[in-house]
Amino acid sequence: MFSRDNWKEIFQTIQKNKLRTFLSGFTVALGIFIFVVLFGFGNGLINTFDDFFGDDATNVFFVFPGRTTKPYKGYKANRQIEFDNSDLADIEKNFPMFLEYSTPRISRSSLVKYKNDSNNYSNRAVGPAHQFAEKTIMMKGRYLNEADIIDRTKYAVIGRLVEQDLFGSENAIGNYIDIGGSAFMVIGVFQDEGGDNEERMIYIPYTTRQLIEKNTDKIDQIIVGFKPEIGYVGAMAFDRSLTRFIKDKKNISPDDESGIFIRNIADQLKQNQQFARVLQMIVAFVAFGTIIAGIIGISNIMVFVVKERTKELGIRKALGATPKSVIGTILLESVFITTVSGFIGMILGIAILGSLGDTLKDYFITNPFINLTMAISATIVLIFFGALAGYLPAKRAADIKPIVALRDE
């Protein structure tokens, strides 16, 4: 293998057969290149699903009231279900083993004014725990706390883009804004990885919103954060228990699917990850098919190469070359071309993936990548089968008697 004469012969053969060598190498490089790129796209798809859920906590249920479709316990169908503060308290009281936090949410849209500037913004009346559910990042000031809820303070926490729109370069902290006709003091400015829509949001205490709206105790929805340590199975059990509890309290038929709705983020994330992985497996299967095609291409080329060199191999054997040396020479050439071409294709594929970043985000592929171990493993597999593809025709050629080989035209 390390004979200088062998390598000199290999390079002379490559030099004489440039087109054949190029076609062999191109087949290998293209197979690995396509594999790396397609597998990277599969990982990029998983990244997209992870990013979609990444700006919010994943150990969360969003509980929405609905409208019943079945009569139950003397109540007619088509009854609108409403949540109130007692529902929040009862959930906290009955599920301490599952519950990490809970918060109501009342969503409104209001005209917001500051001096001569105004705009319409969505505002949410929430509790302090809402910060954990939305993964709200405070840039300055503070978030709402329990004292704000108890005292029904007219404090507001505004998004980064709200401050930019209304205050420009002025610091918003300590200034008052008019939200739908009520004055609120800005106590904090936040940012959110969810994007511009989230950063044009305003948060106020939910008790203050209830006071403004004729001192009601109604809430739009309940956000429940469960303990991460209960895992996926525990989360699903909590989902079922919470559904039964609310249906029983609100006199909703157990078979009525429309009385309440629970959006289980953990379940959605798991389902989407499974879907993404299935797609990745399909993509990987297609990518692996390109490797198989590359192996077949190498095999066909090597069969032609050996046939073309049959007379040469006959002369070698007539001069005393052993079958082992004949096989070794052809095999070494095959492995050399396959190795060089395979790693060129792998490096090009990795370079392409690295340059894409989030440019394909509109196609649901975010920061595509491939694990280096996976890329190298695929390349080694192709090299192995490339060697095998060279070995089989070389073995047949080595078994031909010199007199027969010399007669070959």
Side-chain angles (χ1 to χ4, degrees):
M1 178 176 179
F2 297 100
S3 169
R4 183 177 179 182
D5 290 338
N6 280 347
W7 283 106
K8 185 177 180 180
E9 182 181 340
I10 287 170
F11 285 117
Q12 285 176 345
T13 303
I14 291 173
Q15 185 70 21
K16 291 177 183 177
N17 302 277
K18 294 178 183 178
L19 179 59
R20 186 194 73 200
T21 303
F22 171 77
L23 291 175
S24 301
F26 180 77
T27 301
V28 174
L30 184 63
I32 286 295
F33 176 81
I34 293 175
F35 176 85
V36 168
V37 171
L38 288 180
F39 199 89
F41 282 179
N43 285 331
L45 186 64
I46 291 177
N47 286 341
T48 300
F49 282 112
D50 289 342
D51 285 352
F52 181 76
F53 290 92
D55 66 305
D56 295 332
T58 54
N59 60 319
V60 169
F61 299 157
F62 290 86
V63 188
F64 302 88
R67 187 178 291 275
T68 61
T69 58
K70 299 180 180 180
Y72 186 68
K73 290 186 177 180
Y75 291 93
K76 295 181 179 180
N78 202 36
R79 175 169 50 98
Q80 178 62 53
I81 302 300
E82 292 184 324
F83 291 157
D84 55 45
N85 292 346
S86 69
D87 298 319
L88 189 69
D90 287 342
I91 290 173
E92 293 174 349
K93 179 182 176 181
N94 285 275
F95 296 97
M97 72 293 291
F98 294 114
L99 200 65
E100 184 171 64
Y101 60 81
S102 63
T103 176
R105 180 192 277 178
I106 305 170
S107 300
R108 299 289 184 267
S109 180
S110 306
L111 179 66
V112 180
K113 302 177 183 177
Y114 176 70
K115 294 182 179 178
N116 296 323
D117 293 305
S118 64
N119 207 340
N120 281 298
Y121 294 102
S122 295
N123 56 84
R124 291 171 174 167
V126 299
H130 194 274
Q131 180 178 6
F132 308 119
E134 285 289 330
K135 290 187 177 180
T136 302
I137 303 166
M138 296 306 300
M139 295 174 60
K140 46 188 170 181
R142 68 171 177 85
Y143 200 75
L144 305 172
N145 58 31
E146 288 296 337
D148 297 327
I149 304 302
I150 295 169
D151 297 337
R152 299 183 176 185
T153 58
K154 287 193 172 183
Y155 289 161
V157 180
I158 65 175
R160 178 182 64 88
L161 295 181
V162 176
E163 181 186 42
Q164 181 178 304
D165 293 344
L166 297 181
F167 292 88
S169 59
E170 185 180 352
N171 187 0
I173 302 296
N175 286 308
Y176 285 84
I177 57 176
D178 183 308
I179 303 178
S182 298
F184 284 79
M185 186 175 77
V186 177
I187 61 168
V189 178
F190 70 88
Q191 65 184 48
D192 194 299
E193 293 181 355
D196 290 0
N197 288 337
E198 293 290 338
E199 292 188 341
R200 283 198 166 90
M201 196 74 65
I202 298 174
Y203 296 128
I204 64 173
Y206 74 90
T207 50
T208 304
R209 171 58 67 190
Q210 291 174 334
L211 179 64
I212 292 172
E213 296 182 351
K214 300 179 181 179
N215 204 25
T216 181
D217 66 345
K218 304 302 180 185
I219 54 182
D220 291 350
Q221 60 180 275
I222 298 172
I223 301 174
V224 177
F226 59 84
K227 296 175 181 177
E229 54 266 28
I230 70 175
Y232 176 74
V233 175
M236 297 308 295
F238 183 24
D239 188 339
R240 292 189 294 270
S241 298
L242 184 61
T243 301
R244 285 195 299 269
F245 174 79
I246 296 176
K247 283 187 174 182
D248 184 62
K249 182 180 180 185
K250 297 296 182 180
N251 297 304
I252 302 170
S253 170
D255 301 326
D256 192 340
E257 299 295 329
S258 300
I260 63 165
F261 301 94
I262 295 183
R263 182 187 170 207
N264 186 336
I265 300 299
D267 188 37
Q268 287 185 339
L269 176 60
K270 187 176 182 67
Q271 290 179 8
N272 281 284
Q273 285 177 332
Q274 289 174 340
F275 175 70
R277 286 191 170 88
V278 169
L279 288 180
Q280 187 188 41
M281 289 174 63
I282 294 172
V283 169
F285 180 77
V286 174
F288 187 72
T290 65
I291 292 182
I292 299 297
I295 292 169
I296 294 172
I298 296 169
S299 178
N300 290 335
I301 290 173
M302 291 308 299
V303 168
F304 174 76
V305 168
V306 172
K307 184 173 179 60
E308 186 183 52
R309 298 174 64 184
T310 300
K311 185 173 289 188
E312 173 195 332
L313 297 176
I315 295 172
R316 283 173 177 270
K317 293 189 70 177
L319 293 175
T322 64
K324 184 177 179 180
S325 67
V326 171
I327 294 172
T329 301
I330 297 175
L331 194 61
L332 190 58
E333 180 183 341
S334 174
V335 170
F336 176 72
I337 295 172
T338 305
T339 301
V340 172
S341 303
F343 277 97
I344 288 175
M346 183 193 75
I347 292 169
L348 285 175
I350 292 174
I352 290 293
L353 291 178
S355 67
L356 289 174
D358 60 358
T359 57
L360 298 178
K361 205 165 186 176
D362 290 342
Y363 301 96
F364 305 102
I365 296 172
T366 304
N367 295 320
F369 74 97
I370 186 171
N371 185 281
L372 187 59
T373 302
M374 173 63 74
I376 293 175
S377 298
T379 305
I380 290 173
V381 167
L382 186 55
I383 291 170
F384 172 78
F385 282 103
L388 188 63
Y391 172 80
L392 295 177
K395 180 71 169 60
R396 286 195 295 269
D399 292 339
I400 299 175
K401 293 180 180 181
I403 189 65
V404 175
L406 289 170
R407 288 173 182 170
D408 185 75
E409 293 297 333

